[in-house]
Amino acid sequence: MKVSFYGHVRQYHNIQREIDANIRKVLESGEYVLGPMLKQFEAELARFSHTKFAIGVGNGTDAIWLALMVLGIGPGDEVITHPNTFFATAEGIWIAGATAVFADCCPKTKCIDPAKIEAAITTKTKAIIPVHLYGQCADMRAIKKIADKHKLRLIEDNAQAIDAKGPDFHIGELSDAATISFIIQKNLGTFGDGGAVITNNAGLDATIRKLRNHGSNQRNVHSFGFNSRLDDLHAGILSAKLKHIHAWSDQRRQWAARYTAGLKGAKNFDLPVELPGYRHVFHLYVIETKKPQQRDPLVKFLVDHGIDAKTHYSTAIHKQAGFPWGKGARVVGSVANAEHNAACCVSLPMFPELTAKEVDCVIAKVMEWDRAQK
Ligand SMILES: Cc1ncc(COP(=O)(O)O)c(C=O)c1O
């Protein structure tokens, strides 16, 4: 049996009529950029996110540097994040012209460890970017306390955790802004690239709206800006999918529970941890081999047996060749947890349209590998 890593086409077929209807609506409207479908989707996304505003932009990376820029963060400033995230988190900091400061992650959640943040703060520190990695929220209450104490801005990189929740907070509630990616493989993904910023700050909303559109919110009137808009065709696709996201997250959570039950007791890897009270939406279901040298053989074993396993992310950012490419960067103390995560992570197939048979097949193969280890 073959098990693929993504279910994009299955998902399209399941809701084809809704997606096609929205695409047709946009095509027939004659308005494809900053048109009515984008406006509709932004209102739907803000409502879904419990925030006052949502601004559609070109992609999740632009969302990060736009948010930083609007908060006045740039050259000479430091922004704290962790090194076992997707490269774009750091890239957003560098595009804004700031220095990326890497603190270690929590060994359980793999999100930034709040206990490691204060040691990274200097007089230059202006912001923290926690990443809700793999679909589970970082400990925003603890991070917010630190941000308030040191008067720092907070931007949540929420590329991976739409519809996740903390025990007593929503994403976007405790920060200046949260950024979202809609690239196809995300839990809410379009057939291409897209992104958004959600915020409760009216000034931030107004400035990002201008910046994304050549510094303009009125025809022929410009200040400095960029072109980074979410196209109406993508907004239409995302609007159709947004109606299903909660049910899809629930389904992901069910597959995660099935994986966890089936893989319990294995001796050669650790399972993902969902913190009590958190709603983890399992963008990825990531196990970690006990030893780094076990990781590539496990991935190869699965791929050889038709199961498309991947790694997220097998090289911590500060270990990429050529780091930091002349950009500002600092690693604070030991980042051993992040390095262990990078060296040992294996992502198993995870998407709502999986079948029980496929999940059980993955479990059987992973356990077969586990039993074969000395
Ligand atoms: C954690 C994280 N941040 C930022 C991004 C950047 O998003 P995009 O690819 O839409 O630019 C991604 C995904 O690609 C991501 O996983």
Side-chain angles (χ1 to χ4, degrees):
M1 182 178 210
K2 280 197 179 311
V3 185
S4 63
F5 197 77
Y6 298 118
H8 310 321
V9 179
R10 280 188 203 176
Q11 185 172 83
Y12 173 54
H13 289 159
N14 286 347
I15 59 163
Q16 184 167 1
R17 270 196 304 167
E18 295 157 65
I19 288 176
D20 288 359
N22 274 6
I23 289 176
R24 201 169 320 114
K25 198 167 163 187
V26 174
L27 292 179
E28 295 290 352
S29 76
E31 294 182 78
Y32 312 116
V33 179
L34 300 180
M37 187 58 89
L38 176 61
K39 207 167 166 189
Q40 176 189 318
F41 174 64
E42 287 178 335
E44 291 167 350
L45 181 63
R47 208 174 314 124
F48 178 86
S49 306
H50 308 271
T51 54
K52 288 186 186 149
F53 310 103
I55 312 110
V57 299
N59 55 66
T61 311
D62 287 5
I64 295 169
W65 61 257
L66 279 164
L68 285 168
M69 196 177 284
V70 169
L71 291 169
I73 295 164
D77 298 332
E78 293 187 349
V79 179
I80 299 168
T81 190
H82 58 120
N84 57 315
T85 171
F86 181 59
F87 193 75
T89 311
E91 208 173 22
I93 296 169
W94 287 320
I95 293 171
T99 292
V101 177
F102 298 105
D104 205 3
C105 71
C106 159
K108 277 191 187 161
T109 64
K110 321 300 171 191
C111 299
I112 194 165
D113 184 347
K116 301 289 169 61
I117 292 175
E118 283 200 292
I121 295 173
T122 68
T123 51
K124 293 179 177 171
T125 309
K126 291 291 178 332
I128 308 167
I129 305 188
V131 183
H132 303 317
L133 199 72
Y134 302 154
Q136 177 161 233
C137 293
D139 183 352
M140 288 302 296
R141 286 274 171 214
I143 297 168
K144 169 81 171 144
K145 257 193 207 153
I146 298 165
D148 286 349
K149 182 174 159 195
H150 296 272
K151 298 193 170 40
L152 304 178
R153 299 295 201 163
L154 253 184
I155 297 169
E156 295 167 79
D157 181 342
N158 188 33
Q160 304 192 356
I162 191 160
D163 193 39
K165 213 176 144 302
D168 58 352
F169 63 84
H170 289 287
I171 291 166
E173 186 183 339
L174 300 177
S175 58
D176 294 284
T179 61
I180 306 176
S181 167
F182 299 126
I183 192 170
I184 180 65
Q185 65 265 31
K186 298 305 189 222
N187 290 22
L188 180 64
T190 187
F191 302 116
D193 278 307
V197 179
I198 56 171
T199 181
N200 288 311
N201 180 326
L204 223 126
D205 171 69
T207 315
I208 292 181
R209 273 178 203 289
K210 270 181 83 174
L211 276 183
R212 74 170 174 183
N213 186 41
H214 306 290
S216 175
N217 56 13
Q218 196 187 332
R219 195 168 168 74
N220 291 327
V221 180
H222 296 266
S223 53
F224 179 71
F226 308 88
N227 179 353
S228 182
R229 302 168 295 218
L230 180 68
D231 295 335
D232 280 55
L233 276 172
H234 290 305
I237 293 158
L238 292 164
S239 170
K241 288 191 173 190
L242 186 64
K243 295 174 181 62
H244 298 275
I245 190 72
H246 198 71
W248 287 339
S249 306
D250 286 346
Q251 187 61 63
R252 284 174 181 272
R253 289 173 55 74
Q254 280 184 31
W255 294 140
R258 197 174 180 105
Y259 273 139
T260 297
L263 299 173
K264 213 167 50 195
K267 294 191 172 50
N268 293 284
F269 53 84
D270 295 313
L271 299 176
V273 174
E274 181 180 41
L275 294 182
Y278 281 67
R279 176 175 166 83
H280 192 326
V281 293
F282 291 95
H283 170 56
L284 296 164
Y285 187 92
V286 179
I287 61 175
E288 278 184 358
T289 54
K290 298 273 189 197
K291 298 179 203 150
Q293 62 269 29
Q294 292 176 312
R295 195 269 302 285
D296 290 350
L298 171 56
V299 172
K300 184 173 183 319
F301 177 85
L302 293 174
V303 171
D304 286 350
H305 287 85
I307 291 160
D308 192 8
K310 296 189 186 298
T311 56
H312 298 81
Y313 298 93
S314 52
T315 308
I317 294 173
H318 63 290
K319 297 275 191 178
Q320 291 282 353
F323 170 87
W325 311 277
K327 304 293 172 198
R330 200 156 59 76
V331 179
V332 182
S334 162
V335 287
N337 294 325
E339 287 170 355
H340 178 82
N341 173 238
C344 300
C345 60
V346 178
S347 308
L348 303 180
M350 171 52 80
F351 54 91
E353 298 75 17
L354 279 165
T355 64
K357 230 171 141 181
E358 287 171 326
V359 173
D360 291 347
C361 167
V362 177
I363 292 169
K365 280 293 160 204
V366 176
M367 292 309 274
E368 186 184 323
W369 175 85
D370 186 66
R371 281 190 300 273
Q373 303 313 296
K374 299 261 158 38

